Amino acid sequence: MASAAEQLAANLNFGAFAKADELKKRIWFTLGALVIYRLGTYIPLPGMNPDAVADLFRQTQSGMLGMFNMFSGGAVGRLAIFALAIMPYISASIIVQLLSSVVPSFEALKKEGEQGRKTLNQYTRYLTLVLAVFQAYAIGVGLQGSGNLVLQPGPFFLLSTTITLVGGTMFLLWLGEQITSRGIGNGTSMIIFAGIIAEFPAQLAQTFELGRQGAISTGLLLGVLVMAVCVIAFCVFMERAQRRLLINYPKRQVGNRMYEGQTSFLPLKLNTAGVIPPIFASSLLLLPTTVASFSQASGGTGFLSLMATYLAHGRPLFMILYAALIIFFCFFYTAIVFNPVETADNLKKHGGFMPGIRPGERTAEHIDRILTRITVLGAGYLTIVCLIPEFMITYAQIPIILLGGTSLLIVVTTTMDTVAQVHGHLLAHQYEGLVKKAKLRGARR
């Protein structure tokens, strides 16, 4: 069945795409939503001094603020209404998922199916609002205390900044949900993807400008570009890699007919958690370091300034925390999305078994052992890919964020997921066409 689907997907052409009206509507809706998002990244916060904002960002763009700017599609560098992006939602999702694993009431909601998932999503939205208010107010205080950034500081500026940033985040949350339900791809991932792609030309131009000025040698510049291509190829290979566990189904009799035993596979992805671990890890590091960056840029001293120094890109403490968080979320998110006990129970109910493994508890232990081993490989792969820019900044003195690591990983995985959804819609459209033709032939007969 799987091979037939793959063969059919390989034979898809532009003719099939041209006839898929529903798919074209979804693509146009997604593009329109992303255009609206991009327009919002150019609308500045009220009461800001644009020249001072540009100077501030030039001083802090090589640190964590640069990564925050990448995730927001340049909105941070322009201090636009979407400067918070959807980071509060990601942080809220982390907290709710942690609670669903340790709090019995949340765990019960997770097991209730669709209705429980809707309730947890509602809790995530409420928590997103709370976190957005806190982060927006903290940013407003940081901006007000950062020299001449604000034209007229005071309570009204704090109120307007908080309302604007919170409104921008909640609008993006709604927009992402609309993309997920009425467009193509995961809405949250598509918004981050659009921001990264939009910033890529400027980052590429900056790289070539450094080469033209002699700050980067030609050989090193070519090496960086080749490395980016190799990282993309490596990400595609690792995202497609999987371990297939053999499943046997015995002979069974239905009525007077005897059906032969069947063989299938249980696929376990090498990177079950996908791009979630680096996004979660980045979001946890962004809030404190962003506030610290504003403090450092305004000449502040003390704990915040010290934190901004030690958590800058390429610093040992940042790399250790980043790697530790990625590894933790790899195992944590894999445990959430894949339950070996539940999978073993489903196999047992349908009569499936693994050769040499007893059904039930033994099968669950076997699946869990294999899943743990491949998750170690997946966590190592994500850690290596995401730390590449940090080593580039530290040892090669190349302040480029988008040519490796988290950004390329997000672009690759989002592209692969979106292409898979497009193929799925085309397959469904072709199947509906075959059903209609069969019905017409039956009616003629």
Side-chain angles (χ1 to χ4, degrees), residues 27-286:
I27 292 176
W28 281 114
F29 179 86
T30 302
L31 292 176
L34 294 180
V35 168
I36 293 174
Y37 159 64
R38 288 303 303 158
L39 290 176
T41 62
Y42 287 90
I43 302 176
L45 287 171
M48 301 301 301
N49 183 344
D51 296 331
V53 168
D55 292 338
L56 168 69
F57 187 72
R58 275 194 294 269
Q59 298 172 21
T60 58
Q61 63 178 340
S62 61
M64 280 299 294
L65 195 60
M67 181 175 286
F68 200 175
N69 187 58
M70 175 190 72
F71 285 139
S72 66
V76 171
R78 293 182 285 270
L79 285 181
I81 60 174
F82 290 161
L84 267 185
I86 53 175
M87 290 303 150
Y89 172 72
I90 295 175
S91 301
S93 299
I94 298 172
I95 296 173
V96 171
Q97 289 180 2
L98 283 170
L99 292 176
S100 65
S101 299
V102 298
V103 178
S105 58
F106 280 78
E107 189 174 358
L109 284 174
K110 188 172 66 172
K111 295 179 179 179
E112 287 182 5
E114 183 65 20
Q115 187 60 36
R117 186 182 64 82
K118 289 182 179 179
T119 304
L120 289 176
N121 286 342
Q122 195 64 25
Y123 289 159
T124 305
R125 295 188 189 99
Y126 293 147
L127 186 56
T128 299
L129 179 61
V130 173
L131 293 177
V133 170
F134 169 74
Q135 294 183 18
Y137 180 78
I139 289 177
V141 172
L143 291 174
Q144 196 167 247
S146 298
N148 59 344
L149 282 178
V150 181
L151 296 176
Q152 294 181 345
F156 181 76
F157 170 77
L158 288 177
L159 180 63
S160 63
T161 299
T162 302
I163 293 176
T164 303
L165 290 177
V166 171
T169 295
M170 300 310 293
F171 175 78
L172 286 183
L173 176 59
W174 175 83
L175 191 65
E177 292 176 349
Q178 295 302 309
I179 293 175
T180 302
S181 60
R182 301 171 60 184
I184 287 291
N186 179 277
T188 302
S189 300
M190 291 298 291
I191 288 175
I192 298 176
F193 169 84
I196 293 174
I197 291 298
E199 290 297 299
F200 186 79
Q203 286 281 318
L204 197 61
Q206 180 184 353
T207 305
F208 285 116
E209 180 63 20
L210 290 174
R212 188 186 68 81
Q213 295 175 356
I216 301 177
S217 64
T218 303
L220 181 58
L221 180 60
L222 292 176
V224 169
L225 297 178
V226 171
M227 183 209 66
V229 174
C230 292
V231 169
I232 292 174
F234 180 60
C235 289
V236 172
F237 174 79
M238 296 297 286
E239 291 298 323
R240 290 185 175 274
Q242 58 182 224
R243 171 74 183 275
R244 294 187 175 186
L245 303 182
L246 180 64
I247 306 294
N248 289 334
Y249 292 92
K251 294 181 180 180
R252 69 185 191 279
Q253 185 174 355
V254 180
N256 295 326
R257 297 189 60 181
M258 178 66 72
Y259 290 88
E260 292 292 331
Q262 297 179 346
T263 299
S264 65
F265 293 94
L266 175 65
L268 300 178
K269 287 189 64 177
L270 186 67
N271 181 26
T272 307
V275 74
I276 296 298
I279 293 179
F280 279 11
S282 301
S283 66
L284 288 182
L285 289 172
L286 280 176

